[in-house]
Amino acid sequence: MKKALLWLGSAAVLALAVLLVVVWWLLRGSLPQLSGEIDGREAGPQAQVVLQRDADGAPTVRGDNWPDVAYGLGFLHAQDRFFQMDLSRRFAAGELSALLGSSTVEQDKQARVFRLRQVARQAIAAATPEQRAWIEAYTRGVNRGLDALSVRPWEYVLLRATPEAWRPEDSILVLHSMWWQLQHEGVQSEIARRSIELRVIERIAAASKEESDTTQAAEVLRFFFPRGNEWDAPNFLTLQAAREANGGNPFAAPPVPSPDALDLRAASRKPAVAAGGGAAAADVAPLAEREGVPGSNAWAVAGAHTASGIALVAGDMHLGLRVPTVWYRARLQITGGNDASSAAKAMELNGVTLPGLPVVAAGSNGHIAWSFTNSYGDWVDVRPRSCSLSRGTYVTAEGEQRFRVIRERIEVARGEIVPLDVYDSPHGVVIERSANDPTLGETCWMTRWLISEPGATNLAALELQQVQSVDAALELAPKVGIPHQNFTLGDRSGRIAWTIIGRMPQGELGPETPRPVLWRDADSAPRIVDPEVGRLWSANSRHVEGALERVLGNDEADGGMGYDTGARQGQIRDGLLALTTPATAADMLSIQLDDRAVFLERWQRLLLATLDEEALRNQPQRAELRRLAADWQGRAIPASVSYRLVRAFRDQTRRASWEMITRTLQAGEGSYPANLFEGSLWRLVTEQPPHLLAEPYADWRAFLLTQVDAVIADLAQRCPALATCTWGDRNTSRIRHPLSASLGPLARYLDMPARPLTGDNDMPRVVGPGFGASERFAVSPGREAEGYLQIPGGQSGHPLSPFYRAGYEDWVTGRARPLLPGPTVHTLVLKPVAASGE
């Protein structure tokens, strides 16, 4: 018996050893080849392409022309990041479930209604011959890179799946995936806004014996959705224009609506809570909060104010943080070939690329440098209409119209096909249905999003890579079909400029422009060129004022358009204007790492004032919170307890105030307040109008103390004691691989190490557990050796690669890393078709 058990044990150990060897072999087999030569087979580059990597895997791709360099970059992207690329194209196309199973069916349904694969095919068909040659070369490079792996990428081994070949249209879908990250948030927020608008108008009409008082409705809606607040810090072409605007304080929050326009207290019914009441006395619990919304910082300093005399451009794009990182750093060298005429086309680009696309998204081409921030303009419209999906009809001013019904099928790995009916019309596609709207009955929320319009997405980014001056870039920008961005740039002559890059409809209707959409050209696009102050700044808040803004916002300009509060942008502006010596790259990094809590200072004072002697009587927990909050460092640093407490108080108050409003109105419940509601919120908590305080609160003092107690109760569940509730404990990185959650204890080998992080949302150093600066860089075109680039992770998506985590700790600490790759350690040559056939 003992021999049998021993034999079985030995066999089990041997089987386990064999399994580990097989797994190890599979994992190792999916690592890319770093050195040597690879033949181009029947679809190689036109001439030899050289791929060099430094010690951290940062590559240099060198080829004679743009298609060959695109081929080489595609090869690298596939070898290092194919699974990331695959998820991006599937996300946009609504095809994730075919790979990942039933868990992603609902996301696929949301995406499939926009039918972006068909849109992508149209974009490829409309490309110029030069653009098509470029994207097709990239596609061949991707497929050659995938084919050159000894074993398919490790993620597919885990999923028991086979990767599908890359197609030219898939690169457009990757662009659409980024478009989704940057703009789809506006779809849901606009539904909430429209719902609240309808309810406000309805309530005012019901309270009046006459027709609805549009003036009162406008008064209320301006307060809920203000066009600005006191933090706004827009750019102006001249100093005189800035003085005139600021003198009138046009960005102040709107006044509190009168009781006749809105009375929350009369509308609520619960018994009041006395001023001494605690959290237990009111039904207020900490609500879920978004970690961050897509945004970015970018700015430019004119050559007259830099140490080099060349424009200096800095940027850090704020996105969800993940493994592998969003961006893939690269140096692209187009040699132009051996003859003199071709050599004149030589160019070098340095910066970050998006796996799936053969472009440098942000960086320098030696002539211009550029960066982006997300533009919050009128790019999507959502409107409710009476409808009957059972009959396939909806109602317009012209009468009842019929939907075009498109039958879609969502494939599900290891599951059955899920059918989906898409209801489309000239007025938009149905994205949501509500059955019992009191005004409209069965209601279809119909959306027109510029992402779906023919011509809105294109491959003109190829031409953008080659422009050599501010003027040329401004001419091209409105023709480039990408998600709408604030485009901040500078050139070697020292000039700087801002415009919107992306296709904008002519007229003032935005996405509601009748088809076929006619697009703005450079003459009608908003822009600021060579401002008198010699600096430009951008951080997702109001970028410009007046006629320039009207072009972006159309009918939504008066409602804030989804802008961020201007606190972050104001700190950047002030940091730039405070430079007393000619600016350098090091100065740019200092501004990017600015963690001062300017935005929360007044909330700290409000918290201390609320916790007065009466509020602290027989309340030891409140007294402890006040003592800790009074030790104010004024920075979002990991060791700070006061920052975390003040931040929690402001967030809790903001959420509870908005919930009080939406719950009373019975509209927009579960939504988040617009960022610009901050100014209106501050009026509420400081002016304390009784009619805008719903039951069960006796007064605003009771409301604020309830929020204090809610914070105490919440933190008691998270920390052993209030004194241990540091910001670093709350703001610890959680940068994870999409498959790590399914691997249990093995997840730590895929995810980035957890680190306490310095920074927060309303300051230049934007960083959270899973959201923040997806890169930080600064560069002057032509002086790339003086630039820097930080990325929160390594080049490779393979956990066994030495490049997997390279650069992560520098991103956490803020230590500068060179923009240019280091000395070459590995060289791989991709041979052309002719050479491989000899």
Side-chain angles (χ1 to χ4, degrees):
M1 184 66 177
K2 289 183 179 179
K3 288 185 177 180
L5 291 174
L6 182 63
W7 184 87
L8 288 174
S10 299
V13 170
L14 179 61
L16 179 60
V18 170
L19 177 62
L20 290 175
V21 169
V22 170
V23 170
W24 181 260
W25 177 82
L26 289 173
L27 285 173
R28 296 290 301 178
S30 59
L31 282 168
Q33 179 180 338
L34 302 180
S35 302
E37 295 183 348
I38 291 183
D39 68 84
R41 296 188 178 176
E42 70 280 359
Q46 300 172 27
Q48 176 176 284
V49 175
V50 178
L51 310 179
Q52 297 173 322
R53 297 182 191 250
D54 68 7
D56 289 334
T60 298
V61 183
R62 186 165 60 251
D64 285 356
N65 52 57
W66 287 94
D68 279 359
V69 169
Y71 180 96
L73 184 61
F75 184 96
L76 287 172
H77 280 169
Q79 295 236 308
D80 286 338
R81 302 283 191 92
F82 187 82
F83 184 66
Q84 175 188 359
M85 297 163 59
D86 194 10
L87 292 185
S88 293
R89 64 174 171 178
R90 289 177 179 275
F91 182 93
E95 298 169 359
L96 284 171
S97 301
L99 178 65
L100 301 179
S102 59
S103 63
T104 55
V105 167
E106 291 307 311
Q107 173 57 44
D108 280 349
K109 287 181 178 180
Q110 289 186 50
R112 190 68 70 88
V113 298
F114 294 104
R115 306 183 74 237
L116 294 179
R117 184 167 288 283
Q118 287 72 22
V119 175
R121 288 171 179 162
Q122 293 171 1
I124 294 296
T128 66
E130 183 182 18
Q131 293 168 353
R132 195 173 295 115
W134 171 60
I135 205 68
E136 288 175 352
Y138 176 79
T139 300
R140 293 195 304 273
V142 170
N143 290 326
R144 185 67 185 98
L146 183 63
D147 184 60
L149 294 172
S150 300
V151 177
R152 66 189 185 275
W154 67 271
E155 297 94 341
Y156 297 93
V157 176
L158 183 65
L159 293 169
R160 293 174 295 162
T162 300
E164 296 181 3
W166 199 255
R167 290 162 286 189
E169 69 201 52
D170 292 334
S171 290
I172 301 294
L173 286 170
V174 169
L175 185 58
H176 285 157
S177 180
M178 181 59 69
W179 206 315
W180 186 287
Q181 291 184 61
L182 297 173
Q183 292 187 6
H184 187 261
E185 170 77 20
V187 174
Q188 294 303 317
S189 62
E190 187 154 348
I191 289 178
R193 182 170 70 88
R194 297 287 186 190
S195 298
I196 291 171
E197 284 181 0
L198 289 174
R199 189 55 49 86
V200 167
I201 293 170
E202 173 192 328
R203 290 173 70 93
I204 290 177
S208 174
K209 296 180 181 179
E210 303 176 359
E211 294 184 5
S212 174
D213 188 333
T214 57
T215 302
Q216 289 186 346
E219 177 186 352
V220 174
L221 293 173
R222 275 196 302 270
F223 190 75
F224 291 162
F225 304 101
R227 70 175 298 269
N229 62 38
E230 60 270 38
W231 294 102
D232 282 357
N235 290 265
F236 292 93
L237 182 60
T238 66
L239 295 175
Q240 179 62 30
R243 283 190 291 268
E244 291 173 356
N246 292 331
N249 195 19
F251 314 121
V256 173
S258 66
D260 290 339
L262 181 66
D263 191 340
L264 295 182
R265 198 153 194 84
S268 54
R269 294 289 181 264
K270 292 185 180 180
V273 177
D283 184 20
V284 176
L287 308 175
E289 180 73 22
R290 293 174 295 182
E291 185 176 339
V293 295
S296 301
N297 300 328
W299 59 85
V301 182
H305 302 278
T306 67
S308 66
I310 299 172
L312 181 56
V313 175
D316 48 291
M317 295 179 276
H318 308 151
L319 297 166
L321 304 178
R322 63 193 186 205
V323 178
T325 61
V326 174
W327 306 108
Y328 185 92
R329 64 184 300 162
R331 173 166 61 185
L332 309 182
Q333 294 179 333
I334 298 90
T335 65
N338 296 323
D339 61 277
S341 61
S342 298
K345 301 177 183 178
M347 183 171 285
E348 177 175 303
L349 293 93
N350 287 276
V352 293
T353 68
L354 181 64
L357 285 163
V359 298
V360 170
S364 170
N365 68 4
H367 301 278
I368 69 166
W370 68 96
S371 190
F372 300 127
T373 68
N374 197 33
S375 171
Y376 287 88
D378 185 16
W379 317 130
V380 55
D381 270 320
V382 185
R383 304 283 180 178
R385 293 183 183 274
S386 296
C387 66
S388 172
L389 292 188
S390 62
R391 299 204 319 271
T393 61
Y394 63 98
V395 178
T396 71
E398 291 75 35
E400 193 171 68
Q401 309 291 328
R402 297 202 66 82
F403 286 112
R404 180 169 69 105
V405 183
I406 304 162
R407 313 288 182 184
E408 292 283 338
R409 293 158 51 90
I410 298 175
E411 296 184 13
V412 182
R414 299 171 295 280
E416 297 182 357
I417 289 175
V418 176
L420 176 68
D421 287 345
V422 176
Y423 293 86
D424 194 16
S425 79
H427 299 276
V429 63
V430 176
I431 59 166
E432 193 172 301
R433 172 183 168 272
S434 54
N436 297 309
D437 186 277
T439 302
L440 299 175
E442 182 179 1
T443 304
C444 290
W445 289 93
M446 298 171 64
T447 298
R448 276 192 67 184
W449 188 5
L450 290 179
I451 191 175
S452 301
E453 296 299 323
T457 312
N458 60 39
L459 294 173
L462 170 62
E463 287 77 24
L464 182 66
Q465 306 288 291
Q466 303 174 56
V467 299
Q468 299 187 15
S469 69
V470 159
D471 288 338
L474 292 174
E475 181 68 26
L476 183 62
K479 303 173 186 176
V480 177
I482 65 172
H484 306 85
Q485 300 288 289
N486 292 301
F487 182 38
T488 303
L489 67 151
D491 65 18
R492 292 182 73 162
S493 72
R495 300 181 65 203
I496 60 174
W498 162 86
T499 189
I500 293 294
I501 189 169
R503 310 303 304 278
M504 294 177 288
Q506 294 182 18
E508 298 182 355
L509 296 178
E512 293 190 313
T513 301
R515 296 183 177 101
V517 176
L518 300 178
W519 304 102
R520 289 183 181 272
D521 57 18
D523 291 336
S524 58
R527 63 172 63 176
I528 294 178
V529 184
D530 298 326
E532 187 177 353
V533 73
R535 285 92 160 170
L536 286 165
W537 46 86
S538 177
N540 312 113
S541 57
R542 169 169 286 101
H543 198 286
V544 290
E545 170 65 352
L548 295 180
E549 184 190 32
R550 178 61 59 178
V551 172
L552 307 182
N554 302 305
D555 64 317
E556 296 182 11
D558 289 337
M561 302 194 306
Y563 288 142
D564 195 4
T565 181
R568 174 163 49 97
Q569 186 159 304
Q571 272 182 250
I572 292 170
R573 175 202 61 192
D574 294 346
L576 290 171
L577 296 180
L579 294 175
T580 58
T581 58
T584 67
D587 295 323
M588 304 299 97
L589 183 58
S590 293
I591 295 175
Q592 287 174 333
L593 300 180
D594 180 4
D595 55 28
R596 292 174 300 124
V598 176
F599 176 72
L600 285 183
E601 286 178 353
R602 67 184 187 181
W603 284 96
Q604 191 254 359
R605 294 192 296 271
L606 177 65
L607 176 57
L608 297 184
T610 301
L611 293 174
D612 56 17
E613 183 176 353
E614 180 182 350
L616 300 184
R617 186 175 298 120
N618 300 321
Q619 294 283 348
Q621 290 179 311
R622 291 180 182 174
E624 174 72 354
L625 186 142
R626 191 188 196 285
R627 181 183 68 81
L628 294 168
D631 182 23
W632 181 246
Q633 296 87 23
R635 295 175 59 205
I637 54 177
S640 178
V641 175
S642 61
Y643 182 85
R644 182 173 183 180
L645 298 182
V646 173
R647 194 343 178 122
F649 171 65
R650 178 262 177 182
D651 290 350
Q652 177 64 29
T653 303
R654 177 174 179 262
R655 293 189 298 257
S657 299
W658 188 250
E659 185 195 38
M660 179 171 62
I661 292 167
T662 57
R663 185 175 54 202
T664 304
L665 292 175
Q666 296 183 323
E669 294 179 83
S671 67
Y672 296 95
N675 291 323
L676 291 180
F677 181 69
E678 178 68 24
S680 299
L681 173 62
W682 190 250
R683 282 192 182 274
L684 288 178
V685 298
T686 55
E687 298 177 20
Q688 301 190 353
H691 62 285
L692 291 187
L693 181 70
E695 302 287 3
Y697 306 103
D699 51 36
W700 279 95
R701 173 182 169 78
F703 174 82
L704 291 175
L705 286 175
T706 299
Q707 310 321 313
V708 170
D709 292 338
V711 167
I712 292 171
D714 179 53
L715 294 181
Q717 304 297 315
R718 302 176 187 272
C719 309
L722 272 181
T724 67
C725 281
T726 64
W727 178 239
D729 183 58
R730 155 71 170 77
N731 203 39
T732 297
S733 61
R734 293 192 300 270
I735 304 178
R736 296 170 174 166
H737 191 282
L739 298 183
S740 68
S742 63
L743 296 179
L746 295 178
R748 65 191 184 96
Y749 296 105
L750 294 183
D751 300 337
M752 291 294 115
R755 296 286 185 266
L757 301 171
T758 299
D760 196 9
N761 291 334
D762 293 299
M763 57 189 60
R765 190 169 187 168
V766 173
V767 63
F771 175 87
S774 58
E775 46 70 44
R776 301 185 192 103
F777 82 93
V779 62
S780 290
R783 301 179 75 99
E784 287 73 19
E786 300 170 7
Y788 63 84
L789 173 62
Q790 298 173 349
I791 296 181
Q795 289 290 102
S796 175
H798 199 300
L800 296 184
S801 169
F803 314 138
Y804 191 66
R805 292 182 171 87
Y808 173 67
E809 297 294 343
D810 291 330
W811 174 85
V812 170
T813 61
R815 183 173 63 185
R817 293 171 64 87
L819 172 68
L820 296 180
T824 298
V825 176
H826 308 283
T827 300
L828 181 66
V829 177
L830 306 181
K831 305 197 73 173
V833 176
S836 62
E838 290 176 354

